[in-house]
Amino acid sequence: MIYKSVYYMVDFQTSYLAKRQGCSFVLVILPQRSTENYGYVKRFGDSTINTQCVLAPNVRKNDPQTIANIAMKINMKTGGINTILSRLPQGVSKEEQPVIMYLGADVTHPAPQDRDTKPSIAAIVGSVDLNGTRYAAVPKAQLNRQKEGKRVQEVILDMGDAVEKLIMEFFHKNKVWPMILVFFRDGVSESQLHDVCNTEIEDVRRACLRVRKDYRPDIVHLTVQKRHRTRLFPAVPNEGFGRMGNVYPGTVVDREIVHPTRMDYFLASHEGIQGTTKPSHYCVLANDPGWSADTLQLMSYHLCFLYGRCTRSVSLPTPAYYAHLVAERSRAHLQSRNMDRMAAHRGQRDAEDMNLTPTELNDIQQFLEQNVRIDSMYFL
């Protein structure tokens, strides 16, 4: 069904869906780009039904590439699969392939002037199929400052609860427990690697024991960083890849410019179509299976091809990319909630001026949970 305006969505929400006539997807054509209308559609759709917004000019343009991109998103949202991995990690045979669950996590913070009134949003995603292509998501709201001062809180404080939910969702879908948890953590600075290692990884191990008393899967934990100044260039400029002459996609550097004792590497997984390719920096904080550097690097590279919106490899592994999308979508949900509160508080103290209390934080968390479906890839 096609609805040409967001106002028809109100009629759809109150009448058509209430009658439960079997509708599973809504295509919404917006006349123009509008953050308010888009936020309303997604706030309703993310908790009830799959939706896809399309701008009217793009419909009239009828561009094959645009249509293909929209079709890819719709396919993923409605339960389909766009891409699967045809190659296993190096040194792993098909018979020996363990049951692997891929997870990603990211944290977004409010603007500096809003850090006393708005929370940070953490997002954790986890694969729910054996191919690592379909993902469930759990958003978390938390205070954005550490207790001892003004330092931004980058550690996800309730990681264990989110991972516990995702593991149960994986078991519900596959009737088997994952043997290896591969975690890609985005947005961690060098100074906070120790905190993440001591807090989040141990929190995940405790969550596994809550799922089942004898459940101790191997954990592979990597942080992924894009905020650095390292650039890679071809040794022979004329032998670069593509129009910009960048390094070839899949280029890895794991010596000379990396940490002297910690296992880390730079991976340029995507084609730089404008300017110089910026590689991603991976730091291995846990490697229980004892995988080799080649296996970790190849796995990281292959996961960059599973991004549901694109037919090429992207700059981050798909779990980390999806976590970023979930965090941004949750931030949009929270913004729409704040707009509703501001409308309700007209003539009174501005709702956005209120300091964030534990009670308010709990209300925000309940709001986020009510506005998403854990078993849906609504965030694409």
Side-chain angles (χ1 to χ4, degrees):
M1 299 186 67
I2 299 177
Y3 287 80
K4 295 183 178 180
S5 171
V6 71
Y7 299 106
Y8 290 98
M9 288 288 293
V10 178
D11 297 333
F12 173 83
Q13 181 180 0
T14 56
S15 60
Y16 193 88
L17 185 62
K19 294 178 182 178
R20 298 183 181 276
Q21 297 185 9
C23 181
S24 60
F25 180 81
V26 178
L27 179 65
V28 181
I29 300 178
L30 299 176
Q32 60 189 6
R33 191 178 299 274
S34 170
T35 302
E36 182 178 357
N37 288 348
Y38 180 84
Y40 176 83
V41 171
K42 292 305 178 182
R43 180 175 172 182
F44 158 64
D46 290 353
S47 61
T48 56
I49 195 170
N50 296 310
T51 61
Q52 177 62 50
C53 294
V54 184
L55 293 176
N58 290 336
V59 175
R60 290 190 289 268
K61 189 188 308 181
N62 198 26
D63 177 58
Q65 183 61 51
T66 302
I67 294 174
N69 289 342
I70 294 173
M72 291 177 64
K73 296 174 68 175
I74 292 175
N75 183 50
M76 294 293 288
K77 290 178 180 180
T78 54
I81 295 175
N82 292 340
T83 312
I84 62 173
L85 293 177
S86 60
R87 295 179 59 187
L88 301 175
Q90 186 174 351
V92 179
S93 66
K94 189 173 183 179
E95 292 74 19
E96 298 173 346
Q97 173 70 23
V99 179
I100 300 176
M101 180 179 182
Y102 300 99
L103 300 106
D106 192 15
V107 181
T108 63
H109 304 288
Q113 65 271 18
D114 296 327
R115 286 178 180 168
D116 291 329
T117 59
K118 296 180 180 179
S120 294
I121 303 296
I124 304 93
V125 303
S127 59
V128 293
D129 68 338
L130 300 178
N131 294 319
T133 55
R134 299 202 56 81
Y135 286 78
V138 177
K140 290 288 183 180
Q142 64 182 39
L143 297 176
N144 51 65
R145 296 186 190 275
Q146 295 183 350
K147 294 180 179 180
E148 61 270 16
K150 297 182 178 180
R151 190 181 182 188
V152 174
Q153 176 65 267
E154 191 61 49
V155 173
I156 299 177
L157 302 178
D158 206 8
M159 175 72 80
D161 178 70
V163 171
E164 185 177 350
K165 292 179 180 178
L166 293 172
I167 291 175
M168 294 302 300
E169 187 69 18
F170 184 98
F171 180 78
H172 175 73
K173 298 285 186 181
N174 303 288
K175 306 305 179 185
V176 62
W177 300 104
M179 298 168 57
I180 301 177
L181 305 181
V182 178
F183 219 109
F184 291 93
R185 178 68 160 87
D186 192 12
V188 180
S189 63
E190 290 281 344
S191 62
Q192 293 185 320
L193 289 178
H194 184 267
D195 294 339
V196 169
C197 185
N198 288 344
T199 303
E200 293 185 0
I201 297 178
E202 292 305 315
D203 204 8
V204 171
R205 296 189 192 277
R206 289 191 293 268
C208 294
L209 294 176
R210 290 198 299 270
V211 170
R212 207 175 64 188
K213 291 184 178 180
D214 60 344
Y215 181 53
R216 291 180 174 85
D218 289 338
I219 294 178
V220 179
H221 193 290
L222 303 93
T223 63
V224 191
Q225 300 167 319
K226 289 293 292 284
R227 296 179 181 178
H228 57 78
R229 298 180 181 274
T230 303
R231 301 292 184 272
L232 305 179
F233 300 92
V236 181
N238 294 334
E239 296 181 1
F241 181 81
R243 180 173 58 87
M244 302 303 300
N246 284 304
V247 295
Y248 277 73
T251 299
V252 173
V253 176
D254 58 4
R255 61 186 65 181
E256 303 297 337
I257 61 173
V258 296
H259 197 275
T261 59
R262 186 175 59 224
M263 182 187 291
D264 65 328
Y265 54 92
F266 289 91
L267 168 62
S269 56
H270 64 297
E271 175 187 352
I273 58 177
Q274 183 175 359
T276 303
T277 297
K278 186 176 185 179
S280 297
H281 183 209
Y282 295 77
C283 297
V284 182
L285 300 185
N287 184 15
D288 293 350
W291 285 347
S292 67
D294 288 342
T295 298
L296 292 170
Q297 293 161 9
L298 192 62
M299 176 189 63
S300 303
Y301 180 48
H302 284 175
L303 286 173
C304 294
F305 285 86
L306 298 183
Y307 188 53
R309 289 181 173 183
C310 185
T311 56
R312 299 184 179 187
S313 59
V314 291
S315 60
L316 294 173
T318 295
Y321 227 130
Y322 284 166
H324 178 74
L325 294 181
V326 173
E328 292 298 324
R329 179 63 62 80
S330 299
R331 178 72 63 189
H333 287 164
L334 188 58
Q335 180 64 27
S336 66
R337 173 182 181 270
N338 291 340
M339 293 174 63
D340 292 345
R341 294 184 68 204
M342 290 175 65
H345 286 78
R346 284 177 182 172
Q348 304 176 21
R349 183 186 175 190
D350 192 341
E352 296 231 5
D353 288 339
M354 300 178 184
N355 286 334
L356 191 63
T357 64
T359 301
E360 174 66 8
L361 187 66
N362 184 63
D363 291 344
I364 291 174
Q365 179 59 39
Q366 292 182 5
F367 170 83
L368 293 178
E369 293 176 353
Q370 293 170 359
N371 278 273
V372 299
R373 291 166 291 154
I374 190 174
D375 60 342
S376 169
M377 297 185 68
Y378 64 90
F379 46 84
L380 287 177

